[in-house]
Amino acid sequence: MSTKVEVTKELLFEKVKTYINEQNSLKMIEKAYDFASDKHKNQFRKSGEPYFNHALNVAYILANLQAGPQTICGGLLHDTMEDCGVSYDEIKKEFDEEVAKLVEGVSKIGSLKFQDEKEYLAANHRKIFIAMAKDVRVIIIKLSDRLHNMRTLMYHTEEKQKKIASETLNVYAPIAHRLGLAEMKNELEDLAFMYTDYEKYHEIANLLEAKKSEREEVIKQMIVDIDKLLSDKKLVYRIFGRSKHIYSIYRKMERKNRSFEEIYDLYAIRVITQTELNCYEILGHIHNKYRPVPNRLKDYIAVPKPNMYQSLHTSILDNNGHLFEVQIRTEKMNDIAEMGVAAHWAYKEGKYNSKAEQKEIENKLSWFHDMIGLLDDLEQDHPTDLVDKIQKDIFEANVYAMTPKGRVIELPNGSTPLDFAYRVHTEIGHTAVGAIVNGAHVPLNTVLNTGDVVNIRTNKNTGPSEDWLKIVKSATARNKIKSYLMKKENELRVETIEKGEKLFAEELKKRNLDEKIYFDKNKLESIYKEFSSNNYNEFMYAVGNKSISLQQAVDKLSNTKGQNLDNEALTKLFQQRMQNKPRTISAAGVVVEGIDSMMVNIAGCCMPVNGDEIVGFITRGQGIKVHRTECPNIANEKNRLIEVKWDSDGDYQYDSWLRIDATDRNYLISDIITLISQFKISLNGINSEVLPDRINVYIDIKIKVKNLDQLTNVMANLKKINSVVNVTRIIR
Ligand code: MN
């Protein structure tokens, strides 16, 4: 994309004919040339040259990107609606609807006016996204228009130069970057930088110039050496040095707070070869000879950047200690690296119509795809015109940030990387320790903006803290942190209770008191209240965290301050008490009318719980087994069934086996366990098996529940867990 060429009709057509041969297409472009040149005939630019030269240059930039015929026409005609009053219908009649739509799209972007600078930038940013959602070609025409305006910016007043240049840096260059138009982005940035900071620009430009020959020498030597290294390897490749553009050197100096020399020390070469495999082969040979710098190898072939960029990056040291950045990629990857979207969209005659062409680009840009989805929603909610939509946009309550792979994450305004992390995945949220936003490390409480690319750093050994509740903005993240903290607290509680039990047992042993007698829940019950505890667990928790004096408690229990108790006497007392308790109901909480001496047990096959419809089965020698009425094991045993019912007052616990059918994913079991622990019920067994299809899994869990209501509730909540397909009670 040369800046100094005088573009003529001949030059444009020479370029266009390198990839467009269809006569109809060429005729349409010629017609657009004549039409626009006629419409602009009495208009002149600030430079004094005919206005049409601008349109011609824009078309030429597009031709260099191998744009299709309609897009070239769009470039030639892009200012005719706004500056010459040509109507949509006229363009549609003279050319076709698509060309008319492209010109209209470009005009709409150019015609919106905003009050102040900040509002202007924010609105423009999203406005362009919206325009893109209609047709990505509109944006490429607009970028080409801006590029030519930047190339000819010297004719404007200083104030206007600064305004346009800063808008180019803030709005246009980032979009060119998003679309992978690296060459265009670099030129836009360098041109704009020259106007926003004239001194700094020339300082760096002069330093670059002064060191040019020395630098070229070092690079030349490396190229010769690598050539030698690869010469007998039967590889087809080309290799060249590359220079960094001025603005990126400046940005690096600012961001890393380094001097020009430190940044400039980086030498850069690029190897272009035929196949992916060749890329890895060449990397291997280079690493074999030169020492690679640790952690600098980036494989963007396996994991492309969101803008479709692919390449291998590595850094090596030559024998004189020069640091080299090496990029290795195929020709195709190189085209994409330089032309981005346009490389895919490069016009292929006869093979694509423009619709299919656009579809292909969109499919490749995953973030673009997501953005369209978001905008479609916006459109349905507010069927107003473009301007209104944008106005609303400025005040709207959402930001849209992206993962490094280009997935768009919608968050409430004011959200932080922590909200982002939880939205991506609960586990990523729980283990987040820091974030890289647009390439820079930031704290977790940084407020995110639309368009930010966010990479969350995690560490498995850390977890959420109370402070995080102050950092997050979204309700989902808040809830996830709260439930994590609750679970932790619960775990701590169980630990403390166990510690209390241990301390208690030790104290009994020390006093030579029999554990079997004193460490009995019923017996302990008599002293809970005196220590303001309501139950066994509360009491042991208090012992565990030492808010109850262990001495006093054991004293109370033994009724003899500091003295040992007569074990035998107490055993008798205790046994008497137990015998006096009337026992009319079985241990299982089942009442069998008229028979109270018989053994009554819960059947192990269908495992009824209080609330189930039940029936007793009279076994030979094992008393009565209580089954669910639907249990298939007793279906043919009518003669041996007996009516039984649940005791309504009892406080019993029932075992139950559940089968959870799910599609397999990470952390599924951990999510299940978390849920069970939130219900504060005990989990006594777990089996799981991944089915032969390697997609589905079943997980059997054994839990203890009070009654059918609780069981039904747990099952309903298990079903809500992500990827769980079904939850059933097991009958064996
Ligand atoms: Mn223009």
Side-chain angles (χ1 to χ4, degrees):
M1 225 174 279
S2 175
T3 57
K4 301 254 154 61
V5 184
E6 170 75 23
V7 181
T8 59
K9 183 175 180 180
E10 288 67 39
L11 190 63
L12 173 67
F13 276 87
E14 194 185 297
K15 192 74 196 177
V16 164
K17 279 176 184 165
T18 60
Y19 64 97
I20 298 178
N21 297 306
E22 276 172 355
Q23 282 312 305
N24 286 344
S25 300
L26 291 171
K27 265 188 199 141
M28 180 165 77
I29 295 171
E30 179 129 25
K31 189 175 175 186
Y33 179 96
D34 293 338
F35 184 91
S37 124
D38 179 54
K39 293 290 176 189
H40 287 299
K41 71 182 169 215
N42 293 321
Q43 296 167 348
F44 296 90
R45 303 199 87 205
K46 283 241 158 68
S47 60
E49 59 176 340
Y51 192 93
F52 176 67
N53 278 4
H54 165 64
L56 182 56
N57 270 281
V58 170
Y60 186 67
I61 292 169
L62 289 164
N64 275 284
L65 293 170
Q66 300 191 14
Q70 269 116 343
T71 314
I72 301 279
C73 289
L76 285 164
L77 299 166
H78 82 270
D79 278 331
T80 57
M81 269 190 192
E82 217 184 327
D83 295 349
C84 317
V86 176
S87 71
Y88 178 91
D89 290 337
E90 189 175 352
I91 295 178
K92 186 178 162 186
K93 198 185 100 213
E94 295 290 331
F95 302 92
D96 61 27
E97 189 166 12
E98 251 180 85
V99 175
K101 276 187 179 161
L102 292 178
V103 177
E104 186 190 46
V106 177
S107 306
K108 266 189 179 166
I109 291 177
S111 67
L112 294 163
K113 299 280 181 282
F114 295 91
Q115 301 303 313
D116 65 77
E117 188 79 355
K118 206 175 160 216
E119 191 181 13
Y120 179 80
L121 288 180
N124 224 356
H125 208 131
R126 276 304 287 278
K127 175 175 67 185
I128 285 165
F129 278 133
I130 289 165
M132 284 180 67
K134 306 266 184 251
D135 192 331
V136 71
R137 293 172 300 176
V138 167
I139 241 43
I140 297 180
I141 296 172
K142 190 68 198 166
L143 286 170
S144 304
D145 174 46
R146 175 53 59 112
L147 179 59
H148 186 248
N149 285 335
M150 287 306 297
R151 285 175 182 174
T152 53
L153 198 60
M154 60 282 225
Y155 302 107
H156 290 273
T157 61
E158 200 185 320
E159 191 195 358
K160 196 144 188 211
Q161 284 173 345
K162 281 209 160 28
K163 187 171 189 269
I164 292 175
S166 85
E167 189 189 87
T168 299
L169 277 184
N170 291 314
V171 179
Y172 288 87
I175 287 167
H177 176 61
R178 275 295 148 61
L179 294 175
L181 296 154
E183 225 179 319
M184 186 182 278
K185 180 207 126 198
N186 290 347
E187 195 183 342
L188 284 171
E189 282 183 347
D190 275 1
L191 285 166
F193 183 44
M194 192 168 79
Y195 291 101
T196 55
D197 196 339
Y198 184 88
E199 273 173 30
K200 202 90 214 162
Y201 175 89
H202 283 282
E203 187 191 318
I204 295 172
N206 291 338
L207 284 165
L208 274 175
E209 193 57 36
K211 296 233 174 180
K212 202 173 169 190
S213 60
E214 182 193 325
R215 176 185 179 77
E216 279 173 354
E217 204 46 51
V218 174
I219 289 178
K220 215 170 98 193
Q221 190 54 49
M222 179 52 98
I223 291 175
V224 169
D225 289 350
I226 291 183
D227 250 336
K228 247 184 241 159
L229 181 67
L230 301 178
S231 59
D232 58 343
K233 303 291 193 296
K234 287 183 180 155
L235 290 161
V236 177
Y237 65 92
R238 57 195 174 95
I239 176 169
F240 48 90
R242 56 194 174 83
S243 56
K244 292 204 142 66
H245 73 293
I246 293 172
Y247 187 65
S248 80
I249 293 172
Y250 167 74
R251 279 273 299 273
K252 233 178 186 164
M253 285 165 65
E254 289 289 295
R255 204 169 55 223
K256 302 192 170 170
N257 202 13
R258 299 233 175 106
S259 69
F260 175 80
E261 278 69 26
E262 287 171 287
I263 299 294
Y264 189 64
D265 248 8
L266 293 169
Y267 298 88
I269 58 169
R270 183 177 298 157
V271 186
I272 313 247
T273 185
Q274 285 179 308
T275 66
E276 267 184 34
L277 194 63
N278 292 159
C279 294
Y280 290 104
E281 274 178 79
I282 291 172
L283 179 76
H285 292 310
I286 291 177
H287 276 184
N288 215 8
K289 163 119 196 242
Y290 297 98
R291 192 152 61 86
V293 180
N295 301 324
R296 290 292 289 272
L297 175 65
K298 300 256 159 55
D299 186 351
Y300 294 119
I301 292 180
V303 186
K305 288 189 183 181
N307 63 13
M308 307 185 291
Y309 178 89
Q310 285 187 296
S311 190
L312 293 175
H313 290 187
T314 187
S315 294
I316 53 169
L317 287 164
D318 77 358
N319 297 331
N320 300 314
H322 296 123
L323 184 62
F324 274 87
E325 280 182 1
V326 184
Q327 299 179 340
I328 308 165
R329 54 174 80 143
T330 64
E331 292 285 355
K332 178 98 199 284
M333 292 172 194
N334 195 47
D335 284 349
I336 292 166
E338 274 165 11
M339 300 206 297
V341 147
H344 284 284
W345 156 75
Y347 181 71
K348 296 175 195 82
E349 220 163 51
K351 200 173 168 194
Y352 292 91
N353 61 46
S354 47
K355 276 256 154 55
E357 199 172 270
Q358 206 205 330
K359 197 84 211 147
E360 195 194 335
I361 302 165
E362 288 168 6
N363 286 340
K364 288 199 164 116
L365 285 166
S366 56
W367 65 270
F368 176 71
H369 198 75
D370 287 343
M371 193 63 77
I372 293 172
L374 296 173
L375 290 166
D376 279 349
D377 291 348
L378 208 75
E379 200 145 35
Q380 277 168 11
D381 293 349
H382 303 272
T384 49
D385 68 7
L386 191 66
V387 184
D388 278 4
K389 218 182 315 187
I390 293 156
Q391 295 288 7
K392 178 194 166 284
D393 215 12
I394 299 163
F395 303 108
E396 95 183 318
N398 290 325
V399 295
Y400 303 100
M402 273 176 273
T403 67
K405 284 193 174 174
R407 187 177 143 208
V408 175
I409 305 290
E410 186 180 0
L411 296 164
N413 217 345
S415 286
T416 62
L418 209 46
D419 293 286
F420 183 94
Y422 274 105
R423 190 59 62 91
V424 172
H425 196 287
T426 305
E427 206 53 37
I428 292 180
H430 285 341
T431 56
V433 288
I436 300 167
V437 174
N438 304 327
H441 287 264
V442 300
L444 284 173
N445 62 359
T446 309
V447 172
L448 294 176
N449 295 309
T450 290
D452 281 350
V453 177
V454 184
N455 193 357
I456 301 295
R457 294 189 303 126
T458 59
N459 182 341
K460 290 257 174 297
N461 300 320
T462 64
S465 69
E466 201 89 39
D467 293 345
W468 283 20
L469 293 170
K470 286 178 210 141
I471 295 176
V472 296
K473 184 86 183 174
S474 59
T476 40
R478 191 180 313 276
N479 290 339
K480 283 173 180 174
I481 294 168
K482 274 188 186 159
S483 95
Y484 178 95
L485 293 174
M486 257 170 63
K487 190 186 148 202
K488 266 274 162 272
E489 202 185 294
N490 204 33
E491 282 171 11
L492 184 72
R493 211 175 91 87
V494 170
E495 259 175 50
T496 310
I497 290 170
E498 278 167 9
K499 193 177 158 203
E501 287 174 334
K502 204 174 140 234
L503 288 173
F504 205 81
E506 279 168 2
E507 183 64 23
L508 290 177
K509 208 173 167 192
K510 209 158 74 186
R511 298 197 192 189
N512 214 8
L513 296 174
D514 189 349
E515 226 183 280
K516 281 192 195 103
I517 302 158
Y518 288 94
F519 209 155
D520 179 273
K521 291 194 182 186
N522 293 319
K523 188 160 175 57
L524 285 166
E525 204 172 347
S526 63
I527 63 166
Y528 293 155
K529 292 231 160 57
E530 299 202 52
F531 292 95
S532 50
S533 305
N534 290 315
N535 55 44
Y536 174 81
N537 282 343
E538 268 184 46
F539 177 77
M540 282 302 173
Y541 181 78
V543 173
N545 72 15
K546 305 214 163 92
S547 61
I548 290 179
S549 153
L550 189 56
Q551 303 292 332
Q552 277 182 26
V554 178
D555 285 348
K556 276 263 156 54
L557 195 66
S558 61
N559 261 333
T560 51
K561 292 193 176 184
Q563 285 172 28
N564 284 354
L565 199 96
D566 181 307
N567 270 350
E568 251 180 60
L570 249 163
T571 311
K572 270 182 192 157
L573 196 80
F574 182 58
Q575 279 168 351
Q576 271 170 16
R577 259 225 195 135
M578 291 306 286
Q579 276 161 7
N580 288 341
K581 261 194 170 175
R583 301 194 65 193
T584 50
I585 303 160
S586 83
V590 176
V591 184
V592 187
E593 259 6 305
I595 311 171
D596 39 73
S597 61
M598 232 172 151
M599 210 160 36
V600 181
N601 285 309
I602 300 288
C605 52
C606 56
M607 300 178 124
V609 306
N610 195 334
D612 275 323
E613 281 192 41
I614 46 171
V615 65
F617 173 68
I618 304 164
T619 66
R620 289 179 222 277
Q622 287 180 25
I624 294 172
K625 290 269 185 204
V626 179
H627 288 259
R628 278 149 67 187
T629 46
E630 61 188 308
C631 180
N633 296 329
I634 49 153
N636 298 320
E637 304 280 1
K638 289 226 167 72
N639 295 336
R640 286 165 61 189
L641 298 183
I642 180 170
E643 197 185 316
V644 294
K645 59 185 184 190
W646 297 105
D647 168 33
S648 51
D649 305 322
D651 189 12
Y652 306 92
Q653 297 266 318
Y654 301 88
D655 284 324
S656 183
W657 272 105
L658 298 179
R659 170 155 299 181
I660 300 161
D661 291 293
T663 45
D664 199 16
R665 64 170 170 86
N666 287 341
Y667 309 112
L668 175 60
I669 290 188
S670 122
D671 286 355
I672 290 169
I673 292 171
T674 305
L675 183 104
I676 297 295
S677 75
Q678 277 164 357
F679 273 90
K680 298 200 162 71
I681 56 181
S682 61
L683 177 65
N684 297 330
I686 186 157
N687 295 320
S688 82
E689 192 172 324
V690 179
L691 299 177
D693 62 10
R694 303 223 142 260
I695 296 164
N696 293 303
V697 62
Y698 70 75
I699 298 160
D700 292 349
I701 58 168
K702 189 187 184 188
I703 53 174
K704 265 200 194 305
V705 294
K706 275 203 286 223
N707 52 40
L708 186 60
D709 281 347
Q710 192 182 34
L711 182 64
T712 313
N713 191 12
V714 171
M715 287 173 72
N717 280 284
L718 284 168
K719 263 189 205 172
K720 287 184 201 156
I721 291 177
N722 186 14
S723 97
V724 168
V725 179
N726 201 12
V727 180
T728 47
R729 291 172 70 180
I730 299 175
I731 297 183
R732 280 179 284 208

